[in-house]
Amino acid sequence: MQRPRPTRTNSSIAAVASAAMAVVLSLAGCGAIGLGDDDKATASKSPSPLPRIDCAEGKAQVAGSGSSAQQNVMKYWIKQYQRACPDVQIAYNPLGSGAGGAQFLRGATAFGGSDSALKPAEAHQAPGVCPDGRVINLPMVGGSIAIGYNLPGVDDLVLDARTLGKIFDSRITRWDDPEIQELNPGTDLPSIPVRPLHRSDDSGTTQNFQAYLAGAAPETWPYPAKKSWQGKGGGSASGSSNVVEQVNASFGTIGYFELSFAAGDQVKTVSIDTGADEPVAPTPETASAGIAAARVVGQGKDLTLKFRYGLTAEGAYPISQVTYEIVCDKGNRPETLPALKSFLTYTAGDEGQRLLSGINYAPLPDSVAVQVREVVRELS
């Protein structure tokens, strides 16, 4: 039974609007993604046609924060959107999924970004955020959680869920361990320590990676799939970009992050032995195949997906994820609602999805994208 939600008073509306405005104005100084003056100048001179976007009428400022996994695609989306709709200012701060959900539930942003769906119990902690409505999760972009590594002389590396679980739980400690060698016959593995790296901040990428380990190799990964890291030992860094930086900096390191970060920094990535005829490398195409096997388990307008982590289909990468945009189905702030709907209609539409493979993200399967667009049209 849904808990009753108190009616938002005029004073609380003013407080939330003030907080949201403060976030928008402060994001520019906090590493937020937006369209700066240089980008505006470049966009105005660009010979490429403007994207076809149904812009909201009037000026608006829309603040979002959360998942760092989507920060590269969000930068692209915002730049393209504001080329077509210069009266709308979109700002997105990639603080991590945990912080994004928390800021949205405080009423500080118009939407949150998270690599794991916000659960109903979490939304109930802030019942006044969606007057007369509820918090919902809208899948918006897919991708692979790549396992990046730094091993001298090893350009192709195959691991499976079992060995990954032991590596990230500090139970396989050297790279020439027999279990790794068995998966890589003929490869000269160096006799150096394994240095696993995990996210230090609460992260949906962490939650999805741990869900894969728990789902595909429960005998070696007995921990719950939480946004906080559960394994033993290893180093840590905040945000995907910092994990990538540490992997690049030291031999023997291995970490997990969204594929676009691996591609951007030319990090070598692991192919996963899923039990199929060939190990599967992380690509936009193999991620889409993994996402297509997921099913919608959310209720009503919530489109939370459930993944099949033991998937053995040929060409389907098993450590895939989607990033959700967290919004209200009803009770969105009227001053940001038209611009929010316009922006999300673009990101979920053909115009926003068709070029994602080119920047190492996976477009949503058509069956999911159609449902997202229907829900966005009905936001109020």
Side-chain angles (χ1 to χ4, degrees):
M1 183 174 69
Q2 194 173 35
R3 298 182 185 179
R5 289 167 167 74
T7 302
R8 184 181 291 174
T9 65
N10 290 337
S11 60
S12 64
I13 291 174
V16 169
S18 175
M21 183 62 69
V23 169
V24 172
L25 295 176
S26 65
L27 286 181
C30 299
I33 297 165
L35 191 59
D37 292 336
D38 292 341
D39 286 329
K40 290 177 182 175
T42 301
S44 65
K45 297 177 183 178
S46 174
S48 60
L50 291 176
R52 299 183 299 275
I53 297 174
D54 186 9
C55 301
E57 294 183 5
K59 296 182 180 295
Q61 295 176 317
V62 178
S65 69
S67 164
S68 63
Q70 72 169 351
Q71 74 181 70
N72 293 326
V73 70
M74 192 59 73
K75 182 177 182 179
Y76 168 79
W77 277 336
I78 290 172
K79 183 173 182 177
Q80 293 300 103
Y81 182 84
Q82 291 186 181
R83 286 180 61 213
C85 308
D87 287 339
V88 177
Q89 178 187 352
I90 309 286
Y92 182 79
N93 203 353
L95 300 172
S97 296
Q103 284 202 343
F104 177 77
L105 292 177
R106 288 200 303 269
T109 54
F111 69 98
S114 179
D115 306 321
S116 60
L118 198 68
K119 294 179 172 59
E122 295 175 288
H124 287 162
Q125 295 171 11
V129 72
C130 300
D132 302 320
R134 60 188 288 252
V135 176
I136 59 172
N137 302 279
L138 300 179
M140 197 58 67
V141 60
S144 305
I145 300 176
I147 311 300
Y149 67 96
N150 186 341
L151 282 181
V154 179
D155 294 327
D156 296 296
L157 182 68
V158 176
L159 297 173
D160 59 13
R162 188 166 175 266
T163 53
L164 282 170
K166 290 184 178 182
I167 285 170
F168 281 93
D169 203 28
S170 301
R171 286 184 283 149
I172 289 179
T173 59
R174 300 195 70 81
W175 279 108
D176 58 351
D177 184 280
E179 290 191 47
I180 300 178
Q181 191 69 70
E182 184 179 354
L183 291 165
N184 296 272
T187 299
D188 186 13
L189 295 168
S191 183
I192 61 175
V194 176
R195 301 180 59 193
L197 293 166
H198 59 266
R199 290 276 291 272
S200 60
D201 55 323
D202 283 0
S203 161
T205 302
T206 293
Q207 186 170 28
N208 282 300
F209 180 48
Q210 293 187 120
Y212 162 72
L213 294 176
E219 71 283 358
T220 58
W221 193 263
Y223 307 113
K226 294 186 176 182
K227 291 180 180 178
S228 58
W229 184 249
Q230 302 297 301
K232 298 175 182 177
S236 65
S238 178
S240 295
S241 58
N242 289 321
V243 175
V244 170
E245 184 178 344
Q246 289 201 27
V247 169
N248 269 335
S250 301
F251 288 150
T253 50
I254 183 170
Y256 59 90
F257 30 77
E258 207 279 329
L259 178 62
S260 67
F261 289 92
D265 288 86
Q266 298 182 323
V267 179
K268 290 180 287 189
T269 58
V270 171
S271 293
I272 305 298
D273 184 344
T274 64
D277 289 343
E278 296 291 335
V280 185
T283 69
E285 292 74 24
T286 60
S288 288
I291 294 168
R295 59 189 178 90
V296 175
V297 295
Q299 300 296 313
K301 295 179 181 178
D302 181 80
L303 299 179
T304 297
L305 298 176
K306 182 176 179 61
F307 284 88
R308 294 172 57 194
Y309 293 111
L311 193 64
T312 59
E314 297 294 331
Y317 188 74
I319 325 176
S320 299
Q321 67 179 15
V322 294
T323 296
Y324 297 90
E325 311 310 339
I326 304 168
V327 297
C328 298
D329 63 348
K330 298 179 182 179
N332 292 280
R333 291 190 294 274
E335 65 272 20
T336 58
L337 176 61
L340 175 65
K341 292 177 67 172
S342 171
F343 180 62
L344 296 182
T345 297
Y346 158 65
T347 61
D350 292 338
E351 190 78 23
Q353 293 281 316
R354 62 187 174 87
L355 297 179
L356 294 186
S357 296
I359 52 176
N360 295 293
Y361 287 91
L364 295 174
D366 288 342
S367 59
V368 176
V370 167
Q371 295 181 73
V372 174
R373 293 195 288 268
E374 290 176 353
V375 172
V376 170
R377 280 195 296 269
E378 297 173 359
L379 296 181
S380 62

